[in-house]
């Protein structure tokens, strides 16, 4: 079960919604913010807290790439590999990141500073290829120079 501090914060989030179920996404963000990932135990606790089946919580965690079941690096890079980005060189850029940071998609660097994911359309095809980092910042017309700048900034 979640700690009393968690419950207090989660009750505040829940109070903004008419239906418990509608609060699931912000509650998942809260838990992930606290723990760095969504564990099976957190899914079970959230299911109890919301009186929802745990499979429903798990489906949501698996569906959205912003929820992580493994801990991410301090700077998490998500590169789009869908059609527009693929046609504009996403595969080469993913390979460049892999080589530069010595990691594969789904991995975290040994120092914990960077992690990499390959994701589906980020909704900005007109500025492909597209990178999202730290779940909130975006870089369109991605190229090696922009990748170098991001990596340098987060070393
Ligand atoms: S295909 Fe990459 S952002 Fe849409």
């Amino acid at each position: 079960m979640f700690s009393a501090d968690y419950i207090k914060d989660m009750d505040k989030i829940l109070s903004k919604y008419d239906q418990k179920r509608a609060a699931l996404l912000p509650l998942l963000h809260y838990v992930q913010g606290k723990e760095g990932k969504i564990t099976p135990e957190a899914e079970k606790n959230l299911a109890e807290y919301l009186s929802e089946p745990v499979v429903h919580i798990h489906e949501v965690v698996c569906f959205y790439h912003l929820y992580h079941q493994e801990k991410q690096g301090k700077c998490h890079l998500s590169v789009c590999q869908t059609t527009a980005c693929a046609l504009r060189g996403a595969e080469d850029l993913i390979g460049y990141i892999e080589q530069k940071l010595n990691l594969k998609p789904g991995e975290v660097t040994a120092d914990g500073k960077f992690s990499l994911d390959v994701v589906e359309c980020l909704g900005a095809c007109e500025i492909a290829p597209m990178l999202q980092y730290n779940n909130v910042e975006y870089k369109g017309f991605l190229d090696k120079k922009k990748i170098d700048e991001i990596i340098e900034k987060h070393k």
Side-chain angles (χ1 to χ4, degrees):
M1 195 61 196
F2 289 125
S3 71
D5 284 349
Y6 270 47
I7 297 291
K8 190 175 156 196
D9 291 344
M10 291 167 66
D11 284 348
K12 262 190 222 164
I13 294 168
L14 196 59
S15 70
K16 297 176 186 169
Y17 296 88
D18 289 338
Q19 295 179 7
K20 278 181 159 188
R21 189 176 204 196
L24 178 55
L25 299 184
L27 289 171
L28 283 168
H29 279 296
Y30 171 78
V31 171
Q32 184 169 271
K34 286 286 196 186
E35 301 179 5
K37 62 182 177 179
I38 308 290
T39 63
E41 186 184 353
E43 289 179 359
K44 186 176 148 278
N45 290 340
L46 263 173
E48 285 173 17
Y49 180 74
L50 293 173
S51 306
E52 287 282 332
V54 70
V55 69
H56 174 68
I57 310 296
H58 186 66
E59 285 170 348
V60 172
V61 170
C62 293
F63 181 78
Y64 292 106
H65 79 267
L66 290 176
Y67 298 121
H68 308 294
Q69 296 173 70
E70 300 295 332
K71 200 152 185 148
Q72 306 299 295
K74 283 186 181 151
C75 179
H76 180 66
L77 307 169
S78 299
V79 183
C80 174
Q81 65 172 357
T82 310
T83 310
C85 291
L87 291 172
R88 301 204 54 169
E91 193 176 323
D92 285 347
L93 295 170
I94 292 164
Y96 181 72
I97 295 170
E98 287 176 349
Q99 187 178 22
K100 192 160 174 96
L101 295 175
N102 191 29
L103 83 170
K104 294 282 181 199
E107 292 180 352
V108 181
T109 52
D111 60 8
K113 288 187 179 171
F114 295 95
S115 53
L116 172 66
D117 258 342
V118 175
V119 298
E120 300 306 322
C121 183
L122 291 166
C125 315
E126 71 280 8
I127 55 170
M130 187 69 190
L131 167 89
Q132 179 189 45
Y133 61 106
N134 295 336
N135 297 327
V136 291
E137 298 189 64
Y138 297 86
K139 209 52 105 170
F141 300 121
L142 187 67
D143 58 20
K144 290 178 181 175
K145 185 172 177 262
K146 288 178 181 174
I147 290 170
D148 289 344
E149 287 168 1
I150 293 166
I151 290 173
E152 193 57 41
K153 185 177 162 190
H154 292 88
K155 265 188 176 173

